[in-house]
Amino acid sequence: LKNTRSKSLKADDKMFNKIISKIRVRIEHVFGFVENSMHGSSLRSIGFDRAVLNTDLTNLTYNLLRYEQVKRLNLKTWR
């Protein structure tokens, strides 16, 4: 939700925006990592099953790299 010059947001709207932004930032970081570090997320396969396999392998690779990063940096949360 957005406010205008003449009307600011209510407390409920601010809380809603905060919740949504926490979800959005985590998802956008994942897609950004896949795009930049793994050279994109484009699928060049024939057939739905191969496309699903390609996506699953990309997600598995991301999770393994993220797990390694969490362990290496001794981060306390794993989400």
Side-chain angles (χ1 to χ4, degrees):
L1 302 171
K2 293 174 68 175
N3 63 343
T4 61
R5 286 185 192 175
S6 61
K7 188 175 181 182
S8 61
L9 287 176
K10 297 178 184 175
D12 292 340
D13 294 336
K14 287 182 181 180
M15 184 68 73
F16 177 75
N17 282 347
K18 190 171 185 176
I19 292 169
I20 295 298
S21 68
K22 284 183 179 181
I23 296 168
R24 182 181 297 135
V25 71
R26 187 64 226 156
I27 292 171
E28 288 182 2
H29 277 103
V30 171
F31 281 108
F33 180 84
V34 170
E35 284 291 321
N36 294 328
S37 299
M38 299 173 67
H39 305 294
S41 61
S42 62
L43 296 176
R44 294 182 54 94
S45 60
I46 298 174
F48 182 75
D49 293 336
R50 288 186 182 180
V52 169
L53 179 65
N54 191 350
T55 304
D56 289 345
L57 289 175
T58 300
N59 293 337
L60 177 66
T61 304
Y62 169 78
N63 287 334
L64 289 172
L65 291 172
R66 178 71 178 142
Y67 178 76
E68 184 274 330
Q69 181 185 36
V70 167
K71 292 303 250 183
R72 179 172 38 87
L73 298 176
N74 291 326
L75 299 177
K76 293 181 181 179
T77 59
W78 168 244
R79 295 182 196 193

